[in-house]
Amino acid sequence: MTFARLHVRTVRSALTLGATAVCASAVSATVWPELAHAQRAGKATIEQFMSPASPLTLASARKADRIAWMVYDRGLRNVYTAAGPDFRAVRVTSFLKDDGTDLTDVELSDDGSIIVFVRGSAPNRYGWVANPSHDPNGAERAIWAVRSTGGPAWRVAAGASPELSPDGRTVLFTRDGQIYRARVMRGAPVAAMDTGGVPFIQAWGRNGTPTWSPDGKRVAFVSDRENHAFIAVYDVPTHTVKYIAPSVDCDGGPTWSPDSKRLAFYRRPGTPFGNQQQRGTSGIGNPAGAATNANAAPVAGNPSGGCAAGLVGGAVRTAPEGRPDSARTSLRRSPGFYTATFAAGHTLELMIADVATGDTKRVWRNAPRDSVFTSLNNMAWAGNSVIFPVNVPNDEWDRWYSIPVGGGEPTLLTTTDGMIENATSVALSKDGGSTLYYCTNATDIERRHIWAVSTSGGTPRRVSTGDGIETYPQPLASGKSLAVIYFDAKTPASIAIVPTSGGAPKRVFPTLAASFPTASHVVPEIVKTKAADGLELSNTLFLPKDMKPGEKRPALIFVHGGPRRQMMPGYHYMQFYHWAYAVNQWLADQGYVVLSINYRSGVGYGRSFTNAPNTQARGNSEYQDVVAGAKYLQARADVDPTRVGIWGLSYGGLLTSQALARNSDIFVAGADLAGVHLYGNVIDTANLAFTSSAVGAIDSWKSPVFLVHGDDDRNVDFAQTVGLVQLLRARDIYHELIVVPDDLHESMLHANWIDTFDRMGAFLKRFVWNKEKAPSMKQ
């Protein structure tokens, strides 16, 4: 951390900061009365606000009322489990160091006796697994297992995304386009094939998405052959592979029937000549490379051939001299050269196959030029239907549909108007999928609740009641209840049980320690603001409890990242925003008025809001929402308009840097954590992306800034901070900097977060609360 004022260097240990630090000068002797009051009052620390054990994932067994989840507890990441009827939580792993090793992909065997999970981060673009604790031995990403009844956890194999067999004995995973297997159960020495050393199923193509049949006797997978793709089935007893209705088309998305006898999959047309990549194989055919026209550039297309990434159309090109390529234009109008449809003009089919006989039939197809049903991605066999999400054109909200496996037209299931955010927002009942449970903000746009609907159609009903926030639905085998991750304004992430018939969540984990500052929390208010162009915005306001009549407090704006996020009046279901909510509560407890802004291009308020025009590099229209929030604060009778600051991470860091560059007259200081400062790589004052960036207004940047960045960031290139610092130095703009070697976009070390927020708090007190004049960096 570089406070370039005293130039006194001290080195902190890897588990506290992991970077060289330079101390700050003493704070000015002038202290605002409110600050002195806060110091005397002995306010809660950020460490106390961030102290609870937080569940971050959740899974349930198919045939037992047992759940398992990952817990983040002050940097320690472990697996917990609980079983009905009392659901008493038990920690079953013992990873007791804040070493930054991630833990993900928690999965249970059908009977709940075995739990598998992954330790280690995904590799960066150079193939390195994150090593934030600087272990000289490096780091790995591996599949682990543990018994739910206790005992030490054990390493299964190097790999990720495990597909656990129903009996819990083996896991499948993919690597380099092949499918590997590892034996979960420990015992006698095993062959390399049982440890993930050599492929379990080795076949031509990019083979992936292995899916066990419910009875554990077969594995379905996709074999992508670049211009076509097959559905294949591996038979466990006979050790044989069979391809299901192989064709020239692109098949994918295999999903098993509950009785393991049938498979559903989708079919798309194969890749036409215009989008193919020829491989230069021997024999008669095209030479290696993309299809071309005489005297024309290669055709724009999918470099992988079509199936892996979807078919690509490609616009009409021009010849090098700028004239339209008339030959290609003519061919583009000729059916089948650049576009691919089935004979009836449609582009998507739902197929049902009898696995034993191989008999396959089409049970549904979309209409020619269909603009609604264009994909069956993420489909699942549910009861007597196949269900799937649909992005309906001109519909503000997310929808799920079902198609009967016997044939018929799609039926809309989620008639509720609300967001259904991602795969963790939906789950099927354990009886074969007769009921879809989903998490949405329907009827309560600022929160999330669990709803249910029959997968054959019907009227959805709300399951979880109350004014909290419920996410991650996991139905239990008995069908009587489901587990959720629960939050509210004063309650951090918790595991709770909800009756499927409907009711209030019953929290079962964790038990909050007496030191957790529940009483220091405030219940945030939803306040509306209007941007300069008239767009209404929803914001969360945190008002200090100890406000006195006539007082004018300093204020802070928090801007989230993403930007596809929504902040709520309660703890958040994403890890960093869970902490950010705690930080905002802490800042309010310190005496600040805090406003969290849901700016345009976020989620939760409909697709028009998410896809607002002229955002990001196209003009950064969302910045006006930040200004609207600042002006709202400045107009409040309880806010000192000369003491407004801002902070955020990632895209929030981007907006923070823009606020300081464009409006140092409003924002007296800011904290930019892992922010983006230049869109793209064009440095040209006439370029829209450049003028949309913070660096486009660098010459008007006057306010001090607190910067934090890990140099193994896989979301925002560390070069963004490297480049910004050069600009700040050249203009003598005061900045304090934490650089964390080997750390990620969001620090993997809890000690780093406590240190960062403590230092950020000190910085904000100096330059926002205390209005200290920023010193010259040249001293």
Side-chain angles (χ1 to χ4, degrees):
M1 182 174 182
T2 307
F3 298 87
R5 186 161 180 191
L6 292 184
H7 301 287
V8 177
R9 301 181 67 83
T10 61
V11 181
R12 303 174 66 86
S13 71
L15 288 182
T16 57
L17 178 59
T20 302
V22 180
C23 298
S25 63
V27 176
S28 167
T30 302
V31 179
W32 291 81
E34 309 94 36
L35 176 58
H37 170 73
Q39 291 171 335
R40 288 194 303 271
K43 300 290 187 179
T45 65
I46 186 58
E47 189 166 10
Q48 287 176 284
F49 274 94
M50 293 178 62
S51 63
S54 302
L56 297 174
T57 64
L58 185 59
S60 58
R62 189 163 73 96
K63 295 181 178 179
D65 278 6
R66 179 174 288 278
I67 55 177
W69 61 95
M70 177 274 211
V71 168
Y72 178 99
D73 185 356
R74 290 165 292 186
L76 313 184
R77 297 167 174 88
N78 283 287
V79 176
Y80 283 66
T81 187
D86 59 345
F87 293 100
R88 183 177 62 87
V90 177
R91 177 169 59 82
V92 291
T93 61
S94 297
F95 303 112
L96 303 180
K97 292 183 179 179
D98 179 15
D99 60 5
T101 302
D102 205 1
L103 194 158
T104 59
D105 297 303
V106 176
E107 189 177 346
L108 287 134
S109 61
D110 277 9
D111 64 2
S113 63
I114 295 293
I115 306 170
V116 297
F117 54 95
V118 173
R119 295 196 77 222
S121 70
N124 64 14
R125 64 181 180 273
Y126 303 109
W128 287 95
V129 174
N131 184 19
S133 63
H134 322 309
D135 187 333
N137 296 316
E140 74 162 0
R141 196 181 197 197
I143 300 166
W144 286 65
V146 68
R147 294 183 183 277
S148 61
T149 53
W154 64 93
R155 181 185 180 278
V156 175
S161 302
E163 176 73 8
L164 181 62
S165 62
D167 61 11
R169 294 180 178 272
T170 59
V171 290
L172 302 176
F173 55 98
T174 59
R175 183 194 305 145
D176 300 325
Q178 300 298 326
I179 297 173
Y180 288 76
R181 180 185 71 180
R183 182 181 294 179
V184 173
M185 308 308 294
R186 295 179 295 179
V190 292
M193 188 178 289
D194 292 317
T195 62
V198 298
F200 171 60
I201 302 172
Q202 190 166 6
W204 176 45
R206 289 184 299 274
N207 303 294
T209 62
T211 306
W212 289 98
S213 61
D215 63 7
K217 295 180 179 180
R218 297 182 177 93
V219 178
F221 62 97
V222 177
S223 184
D224 191 317
R225 308 295 175 89
E226 298 186 359
N227 50 49
H228 63 288
F230 299 142
I231 301 298
V233 173
Y234 173 84
D235 186 81
V236 176
T238 63
H239 306 287
T240 57
V241 171
K242 177 168 67 175
Y243 293 98
I244 304 297
S247 75
V248 300
D249 297 312
C250 297
D251 297 345
T255 177
W256 288 97
S257 63
D259 62 7
S260 301
K261 294 181 179 180
R262 292 176 292 171
L263 266 176
F265 62 94
Y266 64 75
R267 173 164 287 176
R268 290 183 173 280
T271 309
F273 276 124
N275 287 333
Q276 288 182 11
Q277 282 276 359
Q278 302 297 335
R279 298 302 170 187
T281 55
S282 59
I284 300 172
N286 292 335
T292 62
N293 258 335
N295 304 316
V299 175
N302 182 353
S304 62
C307 285
L311 297 174
V312 177
V316 174
R317 282 178 172 261
T318 58
E321 63 271 23
R323 296 192 304 272
D325 184 343
S326 58
R328 179 163 299 169
T329 301
S330 176
L331 283 176
R332 285 192 178 280
R333 294 170 180 166
S334 179
F337 276 105
Y338 293 94
T339 60
T341 69
F342 294 106
H346 61 285
T347 58
L348 182 64
E349 297 181 339
L350 175 61
M351 313 296 290
I352 303 292
D354 184 303
V355 177
T357 65
D359 292 340
T360 304
K361 64 178 180 178
R362 183 188 70 206
V363 298
W364 173 84
R365 69 183 189 190
N366 66 353
R369 297 178 294 278
D370 194 333
S371 63
V372 176
F373 300 106
T374 59
S375 168
L376 288 173
N377 292 337
N378 301 311
M379 69 181 189
W381 196 303
N384 293 314
S385 303
V386 169
I387 65 169
F388 55 98
V390 177
N391 289 330
V392 179
N394 303 316
D395 191 333
E396 291 292 319
W397 303 110
D398 302 289
R399 306 294 179 186
W400 279 73
Y401 281 76
S402 69
I403 297 174
V405 295
E409 291 304 306
T411 297
L412 174 61
L413 301 180
T414 56
T415 55
T416 47
D417 289 341
M419 181 178 68
I420 305 170
E421 193 162 8
N422 54 36
T424 69
S425 299
V426 296
L428 292 167
S429 56
K430 304 298 185 182
D431 60 358
S434 65
T435 302
L436 172 68
Y437 294 96
Y438 61 102
C439 166
T440 179
N441 63 349
T443 72
D444 191 356
I445 200 167
E446 306 294 347
R447 296 176 177 82
R448 304 281 189 275
H449 303 295
I450 310 303
W451 289 65
V453 65
S454 169
T455 52
S456 61
T459 302
R461 60 183 177 85
R462 181 172 159 180
V463 176
S464 57
T465 60
D467 58 2
I469 298 163
E470 302 87 43
T471 65
Y472 233 119
Q474 285 295 310
L476 301 178
S478 64
K480 297 179 181 179
S481 55
L482 65 155
V484 299
I485 303 183
Y486 174 85
F487 320 79
D488 63 34
K490 298 185 177 184
T491 305
S494 305
I495 300 297
I497 306 299
V498 180
T500 53
S501 58
K506 179 183 178 182
R507 293 176 57 248
V508 296
F509 175 88
T511 300
L512 294 175
S515 59
F516 179 69
T518 302
S520 298
H521 284 63
V522 297
V523 177
E525 304 173 21
I526 301 298
V527 298
K528 303 291 185 178
T529 56
K530 276 195 176 181
D533 63 1
L535 181 67
E536 185 176 74
L537 305 155
S538 185
N539 312 278
T540 310
L541 179 68
F542 301 77
L543 288 175
K545 286 186 172 183
D546 59 354
M547 297 275 285
K548 295 181 175 61
E551 254 188 328
K552 286 185 175 292
R553 293 290 182 91
L556 295 170
I557 280 178
F558 170 70
V559 270
H560 62 73
R564 302 295 198 252
R565 305 283 185 267
Q566 180 190 21
M567 300 299 101
M568 295 172 288
Y571 277 91
H572 203 274
Y573 50 90
M574 296 179 70
Q575 186 174 42
F576 172 74
Y577 301 106
H578 189 270
W579 297 332
Y581 180 86
V583 171
N584 287 334
Q585 287 281 3
W586 171 64
L587 291 169
D589 190 49
Q590 294 293 310
Y592 294 93
V593 175
V594 182
L595 186 70
S596 175
I597 297 178
N598 279 316
Y599 54 87
R600 75 190 72 192
S601 73
V603 298
Y605 303 100
R607 286 201 176 90
S608 296
F609 187 86
T610 300
N611 301 321
N614 306 320
T615 59
Q616 302 182 44
R618 299 175 298 275
N620 195 235
S621 61
E622 62 271 39
Y623 177 66
Q624 64 186 305
D625 306 339
V626 178
V627 174
K631 290 184 176 180
Y632 163 81
L633 288 173
Q634 288 182 315
R636 287 183 62 94
D638 50 11
V639 169
D640 180 347
T642 69
R643 290 190 287 164
V644 177
I646 185 169
W647 80 280
L649 176 139
S650 191
Y651 207 86
L654 177 152
L655 288 169
T656 294
S657 65
Q658 288 180 341
L660 301 177
R662 297 177 182 182
N663 286 109
S664 282
D665 57 328
I666 296 176
F667 300 97
V668 297
D672 169 357
L673 284 57
V676 177
H677 311 114
L678 171 65
Y679 288 115
N681 56 5
V682 176
I683 301 178
D684 178 359
T685 57
N687 181 271
L688 179 60
F690 181 85
T691 58
S692 299
S693 304
V695 300
I698 191 67
D699 288 330
S700 60
W701 188 324
K702 307 299 179 186
S703 298
V705 62
F706 178 82
L707 300 169
V708 182
H709 212 155
D711 87 323
D712 192 13
D713 191 328
R714 288 97 186 272
N715 300 73
V716 172
D717 197 320
F718 184 68
Q720 289 283 338
T721 294
V722 174
L724 178 66
V725 168
Q726 312 317 311
L727 296 173
L728 298 178
R729 286 172 176 169
R731 289 159 179 78
D732 194 23
I733 299 169
Y734 183 82
H735 57 280
E736 299 180 3
L737 173 66
I738 298 178
V739 169
V740 193
D742 301 328
D743 214 345
L744 303 185
H745 187 55
E746 300 169 10
S747 179
M748 300 300 290
L749 296 169
H750 189 73
N752 279 5
W753 282 119
I754 299 304
D755 189 80
T756 293
F757 289 133
D758 270 337
R759 291 172 183 264
M760 184 180 85
F763 175 90
L764 294 173
K765 282 183 179 178
R766 288 180 66 193
F767 297 112
V768 178
W769 196 306
N770 214 37
K771 284 187 68 176
E772 180 180 338
K773 182 179 179 181
S776 170
M777 300 292 290
K778 297 177 181 179
Q779 295 179 3

PDB file of all heavy atoms in Angstrom, residues 6-26:
ATOM      1  N   LEU A   6       5.149   9.856   3.344  1.00  0.00           N
ATOM      2  CA  LEU A   6       6.323   9.765   4.207  1.00  0.00           C
ATOM      3  C   LEU A   6       7.411   8.878   3.608  1.00  0.00           C
ATOM      4  O   LEU A   6       8.561   8.982   4.001  1.00  0.00           O
ATOM      5  CB  LEU A   6       5.937   9.195   5.587  1.00  0.00           C
ATOM      6  CG  LEU A   6       5.059  10.082   6.462  1.00  0.00           C
ATOM      7  CD1 LEU A   6       4.864   9.423   7.802  1.00  0.00           C
ATOM      8  CD2 LEU A   6       5.696  11.450   6.647  1.00  0.00           C
ATOM      9  N   HIS A   7       6.989   7.992   2.664  1.00  0.00           N
ATOM     10  CA  HIS A   7       7.937   7.083   2.035  1.00  0.00           C
ATOM     11  C   HIS A   7       8.643   6.192   3.052  1.00  0.00           C
ATOM     12  O   HIS A   7       9.820   5.862   2.894  1.00  0.00           O
ATOM     13  CB  HIS A   7       8.970   7.850   1.197  1.00  0.00           C
ATOM     14  CG  HIS A   7       8.362   8.670   0.116  1.00  0.00           C
ATOM     15  ND1 HIS A   7       7.832   8.111  -1.026  1.00  0.00           N
ATOM     16  CD2 HIS A   7       8.168  10.014   0.011  1.00  0.00           C
ATOM     17  CE1 HIS A   7       7.351   9.076  -1.807  1.00  0.00           C
ATOM     18  NE2 HIS A   7       7.533  10.227  -1.192  1.00  0.00           N
ATOM     19  N   VAL A   8       7.954   5.827   4.117  1.00  0.00           N
ATOM     20  CA  VAL A   8       8.480   4.881   5.092  1.00  0.00           C
ATOM     21  C   VAL A   8       7.940   3.512   4.726  1.00  0.00           C
ATOM     22  O   VAL A   8       6.738   3.294   4.717  1.00  0.00           O
ATOM     23  CB  VAL A   8       8.047   5.262   6.527  1.00  0.00           C
ATOM     24  CG1 VAL A   8       8.546   4.243   7.514  1.00  0.00           C
ATOM     25  CG2 VAL A   8       8.567   6.646   6.866  1.00  0.00           C
ATOM     26  N   ARG A   9       8.812   2.544   4.412  1.00  0.00           N
ATOM     27  CA  ARG A   9       8.373   1.247   3.903  1.00  0.00           C
ATOM     28  C   ARG A   9       8.391   0.215   5.012  1.00  0.00           C
ATOM     29  O   ARG A   9       9.361   0.084   5.758  1.00  0.00           O
ATOM     30  CB  ARG A   9       9.275   0.790   2.758  1.00  0.00           C
ATOM     31  CG  ARG A   9       9.302   1.762   1.586  1.00  0.00           C
ATOM     32  CD  ARG A   9      10.176   1.267   0.467  1.00  0.00           C
ATOM     33  NE  ARG A   9       9.617   0.075  -0.156  1.00  0.00           N
ATOM     34  CZ  ARG A   9       8.680   0.101  -1.093  1.00  0.00           C
ATOM     35  NH1 ARG A   9       8.201   1.266  -1.512  1.00  0.00           N
ATOM     36  NH2 ARG A   9       8.210  -1.008  -1.610  1.00  0.00           N
ATOM     37  N   THR A  10       7.300  -0.535   5.110  1.00  0.00           N
ATOM     38  CA  THR A  10       7.238  -1.671   6.024  1.00  0.00           C
ATOM     39  C   THR A  10       6.646  -2.832   5.269  1.00  0.00           C
ATOM     40  O   THR A  10       5.820  -2.656   4.385  1.00  0.00           O
ATOM     41  CB  THR A  10       6.365  -1.372   7.261  1.00  0.00           C
ATOM     42  OG1 THR A  10       5.043  -1.087   6.817  1.00  0.00           O
ATOM     43  CG2 THR A  10       6.904  -0.191   8.044  1.00  0.00           C
ATOM     44  N   VAL A  11       7.054  -4.040   5.603  1.00  0.00           N
ATOM     45  CA  VAL A  11       6.557  -5.232   4.926  1.00  0.00           C
ATOM     46  C   VAL A  11       5.664  -6.008   5.873  1.00  0.00           C
ATOM     47  O   VAL A  11       6.074  -6.380   6.971  1.00  0.00           O
ATOM     48  CB  VAL A  11       7.720  -6.132   4.450  1.00  0.00           C
ATOM     49  CG1 VAL A  11       7.181  -7.351   3.730  1.00  0.00           C
ATOM     50  CG2 VAL A  11       8.630  -5.348   3.517  1.00  0.00           C
ATOM     51  N   ARG A  12       4.415  -6.241   5.415  1.00  0.00           N
ATOM     52  CA  ARG A  12       3.459  -7.008   6.216  1.00  0.00           C
ATOM     53  C   ARG A  12       3.504  -8.456   5.780  1.00  0.00           C
ATOM     54  O   ARG A  12       3.889  -8.789   4.674  1.00  0.00           O
ATOM     55  CB  ARG A  12       2.044  -6.450   6.026  1.00  0.00           C
ATOM     56  CG  ARG A  12       1.934  -4.971   6.386  1.00  0.00           C
ATOM     57  CD  ARG A  12       0.563  -4.436   6.036  1.00  0.00           C
ATOM     58  NE  ARG A  12      -0.473  -5.056   6.864  1.00  0.00           N
ATOM     59  CZ  ARG A  12      -0.809  -4.611   8.057  1.00  0.00           C
ATOM     60  NH1 ARG A  12      -0.198  -3.582   8.577  1.00  0.00           N
ATOM     61  NH2 ARG A  12      -1.759  -5.196   8.733  1.00  0.00           N
ATOM     62  N   SER A  13       3.098  -9.348   6.666  1.00  0.00           N
ATOM     63  CA  SER A  13       3.127 -10.770   6.330  1.00  0.00           C
ATOM     64  C   SER A  13       2.112 -11.081   5.251  1.00  0.00           C
ATOM     65  O   SER A  13       1.147 -10.354   5.049  1.00  0.00           O
ATOM     66  CB  SER A  13       2.810 -11.619   7.571  1.00  0.00           C
ATOM     67  OG  SER A  13       1.446 -11.475   7.919  1.00  0.00           O
ATOM     68  N   ALA A  14       2.303 -12.217   4.575  1.00  0.00           N
ATOM     69  CA  ALA A  14       1.419 -12.598   3.469  1.00  0.00           C
ATOM     70  C   ALA A  14      -0.006 -12.783   3.923  1.00  0.00           C
ATOM     71  O   ALA A  14      -0.942 -12.579   3.166  1.00  0.00           O
ATOM     72  CB  ALA A  14       1.934 -13.874   2.811  1.00  0.00           C
ATOM     73  N   LEU A  15      -0.205 -13.176   5.165  1.00  0.00           N
ATOM     74  CA  LEU A  15      -1.566 -13.450   5.622  1.00  0.00           C
ATOM     75  C   LEU A  15      -2.261 -12.200   6.134  1.00  0.00           C
ATOM     76  O   LEU A  15      -3.414 -12.267   6.542  1.00  0.00           O
ATOM     77  CB  LEU A  15      -1.555 -14.526   6.708  1.00  0.00           C
ATOM     78  CG  LEU A  15      -1.233 -15.933   6.195  1.00  0.00           C
ATOM     79  CD1 LEU A  15      -1.286 -16.928   7.341  1.00  0.00           C
ATOM     80  CD2 LEU A  15      -2.190 -16.353   5.089  1.00  0.00           C
ATOM     81  N   THR A  16      -1.576 -11.069   6.159  1.00  0.00           N
ATOM     82  CA  THR A  16      -2.269  -9.844   6.545  1.00  0.00           C
ATOM     83  C   THR A  16      -2.437  -8.885   5.387  1.00  0.00           C
ATOM     84  O   THR A  16      -3.470  -8.280   5.238  1.00  0.00           O
ATOM     85  CB  THR A  16      -1.517  -9.121   7.688  1.00  0.00           C
ATOM     86  OG1 THR A  16      -0.184  -8.857   7.257  1.00  0.00           O
ATOM     87  CG2 THR A  16      -1.484  -9.986   8.924  1.00  0.00           C
ATOM     88  N   LEU A  17      -1.415  -8.777   4.549  1.00  0.00           N
ATOM     89  CA  LEU A  17      -1.574  -7.886   3.403  1.00  0.00           C
ATOM     90  C   LEU A  17      -1.023  -8.507   2.142  1.00  0.00           C
ATOM     91  O   LEU A  17      -1.652  -8.492   1.110  1.00  0.00           O
ATOM     92  CB  LEU A  17      -0.874  -6.545   3.668  1.00  0.00           C
ATOM     93  CG  LEU A  17      -0.929  -5.520   2.525  1.00  0.00           C
ATOM     94  CD1 LEU A  17      -2.370  -5.190   2.195  1.00  0.00           C
ATOM     95  CD2 LEU A  17      -0.178  -4.262   2.904  1.00  0.00           C
ATOM     96  N   GLY A  18       0.132  -9.119   2.213  1.00  0.00           N
ATOM     97  CA  GLY A  18       0.710  -9.749   1.041  1.00  0.00           C
ATOM     98  C   GLY A  18       1.327  -8.743   0.085  1.00  0.00           C
ATOM     99  O   GLY A  18       1.580  -9.039  -1.055  1.00  0.00           O
ATOM    100  N   ALA A  19       1.581  -7.508   0.547  1.00  0.00           N
ATOM    101  CA  ALA A  19       2.179  -6.511  -0.325  1.00  0.00           C
ATOM    102  C   ALA A  19       2.978  -5.538   0.527  1.00  0.00           C
ATOM    103  O   ALA A  19       2.788  -5.442   1.736  1.00  0.00           O
ATOM    104  CB  ALA A  19       1.112  -5.764  -1.109  1.00  0.00           C
ATOM    105  N   THR A  20       3.860  -4.830  -0.108  1.00  0.00           N
ATOM    106  CA  THR A  20       4.625  -3.812   0.598  1.00  0.00           C
ATOM    107  C   THR A  20       3.712  -2.656   0.972  1.00  0.00           C
ATOM    108  O   THR A  20       2.883  -2.230   0.190  1.00  0.00           O
ATOM    109  CB  THR A  20       5.768  -3.306  -0.285  1.00  0.00           C
ATOM    110  OG1 THR A  20       6.588  -4.428  -0.625  1.00  0.00           O
ATOM    111  CG2 THR A  20       6.611  -2.274   0.431  1.00  0.00           C
ATOM    112  N   ALA A  21       3.887  -2.133   2.191  1.00  0.00           N
ATOM    113  CA  ALA A  21       3.027  -1.049   2.662  1.00  0.00           C
ATOM    114  C   ALA A  21       3.863   0.162   3.030  1.00  0.00           C
ATOM    115  O   ALA A  21       4.991   0.044   3.491  1.00  0.00           O
ATOM    116  CB  ALA A  21       2.231  -1.504   3.886  1.00  0.00           C
ATOM    117  N   VAL A  22       3.305   1.335   2.835  1.00  0.00           N
ATOM    118  CA  VAL A  22       3.944   2.575   3.243  1.00  0.00           C
ATOM    119  C   VAL A  22       2.971   3.335   4.120  1.00  0.00           C
ATOM    120  O   VAL A  22       1.798   3.451   3.789  1.00  0.00           O
ATOM    121  CB  VAL A  22       4.342   3.426   2.013  1.00  0.00           C
ATOM    122  CG1 VAL A  22       5.014   4.706   2.461  1.00  0.00           C
ATOM    123  CG2 VAL A  22       5.281   2.636   1.127  1.00  0.00           C
ATOM    124  N   CYS A  23       3.454   3.833   5.252  1.00  0.00           N
ATOM    125  CA  CYS A  23       2.546   4.420   6.243  1.00  0.00           C
ATOM    126  C   CYS A  23       2.069   5.801   5.826  1.00  0.00           C
ATOM    127  O   CYS A  23       2.751   6.523   5.118  1.00  0.00           O
ATOM    128  CB  CYS A  23       3.246   4.525   7.591  1.00  0.00           C
ATOM    129  SG  CYS A  23       3.724   2.920   8.247  1.00  0.00           S
ATOM    130  N   ALA A  24       0.906   6.169   6.337  1.00  0.00           N
ATOM    131  CA  ALA A  24       0.323   7.484   6.052  1.00  0.00           C
ATOM    132  C   ALA A  24       0.772   8.494   7.086  1.00  0.00           C
ATOM    133  O   ALA A  24       1.176   8.155   8.193  1.00  0.00           O
ATOM    134  CB  ALA A  24      -1.191   7.391   6.053  1.00  0.00           C
ATOM    135  N   SER A  25       0.672   9.727   6.733  1.00  0.00           N
ATOM    136  CA  SER A  25       0.964  10.786   7.691  1.00  0.00           C
ATOM    137  C   SER A  25      -0.174  10.900   8.681  1.00  0.00           C
ATOM    138  O   SER A  25      -1.267  10.389   8.474  1.00  0.00           O
ATOM    139  CB  SER A  25       1.149  12.108   6.952  1.00  0.00           C
ATOM    140  OG  SER A  25      -0.040  12.462   6.311  1.00  0.00           O
ATOM    141  N   ALA A  26       0.087  11.574   9.758  1.00  0.00           N
ATOM    142  CA  ALA A  26      -0.930  11.744  10.784  1.00  0.00           C
ATOM    143  C   ALA A  26      -2.098  12.549  10.243  1.00  0.00           C
ATOM    144  O   ALA A  26      -1.926  13.448   9.431  1.00  0.00           O
ATOM    145  CB  ALA A  26      -0.334  12.468  11.991  1.00  0.00           C
TER     146      ALA A  26
END
